Amino acid sequence: MATDKASAQNSDAAEKQQTGASVQESVDAPSAGEEGAHAAGAACTVENSQGNKTPFISEVSGHHRRYLKLLEFTHSTTKAAGFMLLGAILSLIVANSPAYGSFLEFWHTEITLGFGSANTSMSLAHIINDIFMCLFFLLVGLEIKYEMTVGELTNIRQAILPVGAAIGGVAVPIIFYVAFNQGSPETLGGWGVPTATDIAFALGILALLGSRVPAGVRVFLSTLAVADDIIAIVVIAVFYGHAPSVLWLLAALVVLGALTALNRLHFYSLWPYVLLGVVLWYCVFMSGVHATIAGVLLAFTIPSGSRVDLLSFGRWSNKQLKEIRANFQPDAPVLGQSDYLKEVSHLARVAKEVVPPATRLERMLYPWVYFAILPLFALTNADVALGATSFGAIVADPVFLGVFAGLLLGKPIGIFLFSFLIVKLKISSLPNNVNWAHIFGAALLGGVGFTMAIFVANLAYADPGQILVAKVAILSASLLAGVIGFLFLLFQANIAMRKGVTYEEPILDNANLQAHAAHEVKRRKHDKHEEASAAAGGQKAPVRTVSPHRAVPTDEDRQAASSRKDA
């Protein structure tokens, strides 16, 4: 797997200078140049003909504001968890209604794809589970790669605590499950079900607490969830696939080698990776290994670096802006300004290439995965139809006891116990402002299995009755873990507030949120709030501390900016 080293690229670098309006001359000043680097390539201050600070004409500025609100909505972990919960609730209601037969018939509708005599058929439910969920695992792989490149997993000492906690959160639930199922060989293979944590749900619940919990708790839980995903991916690939076909596995390795070669040869266009990724999925699907693994493998081959030299880009873009201003004719229709459009298009093409392919793909996938694919998965897989089955019989089933106890008890105990041992052995330390009560609250939220646990349950059991029992256990344990974890952390926050302790919510450049795209939306909202507060007080907006992963202006940059000012 190719894990090329790269600097962290912020999404603001993609939102390069919009032209067609007057750009303030301060863009050439050295202070603006340096602040631009410190603010992660924030867009220049521009004014339209009405004097509003926006690069868009007044007729469309409202549309753009609505688009930004939509962007913020579709990158909210809380709202994503709400959509998935809504899908699960609808599925439960339909499953226990007269419409359940039609519901099942619809999702088992066969879709046939092919050409000539070569064709294949898949039901809608299998398309969601085997194709759409591959996109979810592709996004998970991109998030893992982000953490390994610039996130918490780059610092071994910092990563030891959440990674060790994730290992404990996998090992102890297995012990609970095996304890209840050791006398039942047909259900013993479901040990992997209570080991999974639903990253979207867990972080969505934690996000409800806002700044009432330290930022270190979010960093701990999100890094733990990423490490948990890595373990779950290995478990699925090794233990829950069919007997692999060596020929198709070799074909998958050849495709993976081609993808790695593209990475090493510095191909930054996404299309070759996407096309070869489809071939990789098909090879893995035919091999007997679960096809979603192809998404993770593809993610690790997509470049995470930029093809643009970031230090020289600042100087080049300033020169390009001068050319744009020189060619701009205020009184002429834009269609007739060929030189102006040529320079603008050149700047736009280069500015787009600043953003790494991995980041571009992650931004494209994020809203579709969390607001369409995962809610669809919940809708089609959370259908617990009790029918004539008594709830007492389900609760007494060893599958229920193993999964329920594994998620609700095993997960928190494993996470907390391994965290405690790691800190007491002085291998690592607790994050800033985080105490053991916070760690225990995060450990409780680790018991929210939901979509990931249901996904593993569909693979682990052959008997539909066992799958039903496992789903009841997963939904029950996830609901209780989420509610108890939320109330416990809320109780701790109230105690802290009575003592006068509050937690500011710093938005750091390498903050570990659910995904880089979600982090960027949150950071932009934070910056807007800072600027508004500063403007209200008649002060200059503060500049954030420079990230160690960001390109910092050199003496040459400052000299170039100074010479422009003198000129």
Side-chain angles (χ1 to χ4, degrees):
M1 293 183 292
T3 54
D4 46 299
K5 297 179 181 178
S7 300
Q9 310 302 334
N10 296 282
S11 70
D12 290 318
E15 300 169 5
K16 286 299 157 188
Q17 296 90 334
Q18 302 285 340
T19 54
S22 59
V23 182
Q24 291 184 349
E25 289 298 326
S26 62
V27 72
D28 287 329
S31 59
E34 293 178 19
E35 288 177 6
H38 284 270
C44 301
T45 302
V46 295
E47 294 183 359
N48 60 14
S49 57
Q50 282 73 32
N52 299 321
K53 293 184 177 180
T54 170
F56 301 99
I57 60 176
S58 56
E59 289 81 0
V60 301
S61 58
H63 302 319
H64 184 66
R65 284 195 299 272
R66 285 188 287 273
Y67 167 74
L68 291 178
K69 288 181 180 179
L70 177 64
L71 191 67
E72 292 173 4
F73 180 89
T74 56
H75 287 83
S76 165
T77 53
T78 305
K79 293 179 178 62
F83 265 67
M84 284 183 279
L85 182 60
L86 179 62
I89 292 172
L90 287 175
S91 182
L92 286 171
I93 292 173
V94 174
N96 294 279
S97 73
Y100 187 50
S102 301
F103 180 82
L104 280 180
E105 183 180 353
F106 172 76
W107 291 115
H108 286 89
T109 302
E110 292 286 327
I111 303 295
T112 302
L113 299 174
F115 182 79
S117 59
N119 56 74
T120 184
S121 296
M122 293 183 76
S123 67
L124 289 174
H126 278 100
I127 289 174
I128 292 171
N129 292 345
D130 290 335
I131 298 179
F132 287 177
M133 284 300 285
C134 187
L135 297 178
F136 165 68
F137 279 91
L138 172 57
L139 182 59
V140 168
L142 291 171
E143 292 171 358
I144 292 171
K145 185 168 186 175
Y146 178 75
E147 295 304 325
M148 293 174 65
T149 307
V150 296
E152 292 299 313
L153 297 181
T154 58
N155 187 318
I156 300 300
R157 185 171 175 80
Q158 287 181 349
I160 284 175
L161 180 63
V163 171
I167 294 171
V170 169
V172 177
I174 293 175
I175 295 173
F176 272 85
Y177 185 88
V178 171
F180 285 105
N181 289 269
Q182 58 182 341
S184 177
E186 65 273 12
T187 62
L188 193 60
W191 57 265
V193 177
T195 64
T197 296
D198 190 311
I199 182 172
F201 254 101
L203 292 179
I205 294 169
L206 188 63
L208 293 172
L209 293 164
S211 58
R212 283 175 286 190
V213 295
V217 179
R218 285 184 287 279
V219 173
F220 173 81
L221 183 59
S222 56
T223 309
L224 182 151
V226 168
D228 189 278
D229 283 342
I230 296 173
I231 298 172
I233 289 163
V234 173
V235 168
I236 292 170
V238 175
F239 298 101
Y240 293 122
H242 300 292
S245 165
V246 176
L247 185 62
W248 282 110
L249 279 179
L250 288 174
L253 286 175
V254 170
V255 178
L256 186 62
L259 285 163
T260 304
L262 286 177
N263 182 296
R264 294 302 184 188
L265 293 172
H266 301 287
F267 277 82
Y268 288 91
S269 172
L270 278 173
W271 283 110
Y273 295 94
V274 172
L275 294 175
L276 282 176
V278 173
V279 179
L280 177 65
W281 174 88
Y282 185 75
C283 292
V284 174
F285 177 76
M286 296 300 293
S287 73
V289 177
H290 201 274
T292 52
I293 302 303
V296 181
L297 296 176
L298 174 61
F300 277 92
T301 64
I302 295 175
S304 59
S306 174
R307 70 191 304 172
V308 177
D309 183 341
L310 299 185
L311 290 177
S312 63
F313 176 75
R315 294 191 296 271
W316 177 85
S317 59
N318 276 331
K319 292 178 183 177
Q320 196 70 12
L321 282 172
K322 287 183 178 180
E323 293 292 330
I324 289 171
R325 286 195 295 270
N327 287 295
F328 179 58
Q329 303 171 33
D331 299 326
V334 67
L335 283 177
Q337 301 186 48
S338 58
D339 291 338
Y340 173 77
L341 292 177
K342 177 183 176 182
E343 298 299 336
V344 169
S345 299
H346 189 195
L347 176 61
R349 284 195 301 272
V350 176
K352 181 181 178 181
E353 296 298 330
V354 169
V355 184
T359 304
R360 295 203 304 270
L361 182 59
E362 183 185 7
R363 290 188 201 136
M364 286 188 286
L365 288 175
Y366 191 95
W368 292 103
V369 166
Y370 286 107
F371 286 85
I373 293 174
L374 288 181
L376 273 176
F377 177 83
L379 182 64
T380 55
N381 289 276
D383 54 332
V384 177
L386 297 177
T389 307
S390 68
F391 191 73
I394 291 176
V395 172
D397 193 291
V399 171
F400 178 90
L401 295 172
V403 173
F404 185 84
L407 284 172
L408 192 60
L409 298 177
K411 271 284 186 182
I413 291 172
I415 292 171
F416 187 84
L417 179 61
F418 275 57
S419 299
F420 184 80
L421 290 174
I422 288 169
V423 172
K424 290 305 177 183
L425 292 174
K426 297 184 178 180
I427 300 173
S428 185
S429 59
L430 292 177
N432 290 336
N433 300 320
V434 174
N435 57 38
W436 287 112
H438 293 135
I439 295 295
F440 186 69
L444 287 169
L445 293 181
V448 179
F450 197 48
T451 53
M452 283 296 292
I454 291 175
F455 186 85
V456 177
N458 288 334
L459 302 174
Y461 303 109
D463 183 358
Q466 294 172 353
I467 295 176
L468 172 67
V469 172
K471 286 181 180 180
V472 174
I474 291 165
L475 294 175
S476 304
S478 296
L479 177 63
L480 284 174
V483 171
I484 295 172
F486 174 81
L487 292 177
F488 182 84
L489 288 172
L490 181 62
F491 178 72
Q492 293 299 319
N494 290 335
I495 291 176
M497 288 180 67
R498 284 196 292 270
K499 293 180 179 179
V501 178
T502 58
Y503 302 104
E504 295 296 329
E505 189 174 5
I507 308 296
L508 301 177
D509 293 314
N510 58 347
N512 184 338
L513 297 180
Q514 181 177 354
H516 182 52
H519 158 63
E520 290 303 329
V521 169
K522 194 166 186 177
R523 188 168 62 76
R524 281 197 294 272
K525 290 177 68 178
H526 179 268
D527 290 349
K528 187 185 295 183
H529 174 72
E530 276 192 344
E531 291 173 2
S533 301
Q539 300 175 347
K540 187 176 180 181
V543 178
R544 287 189 309 278
T545 305
V546 177
S547 163
H549 307 292
R550 173 172 298 150
V552 181
T554 61
D555 291 337
E556 183 183 356
D557 293 309
R558 296 188 176 92
Q559 290 173 4
S562 178
S563 63
R564 284 195 301 272
K565 182 180 179 182
D566 294 336

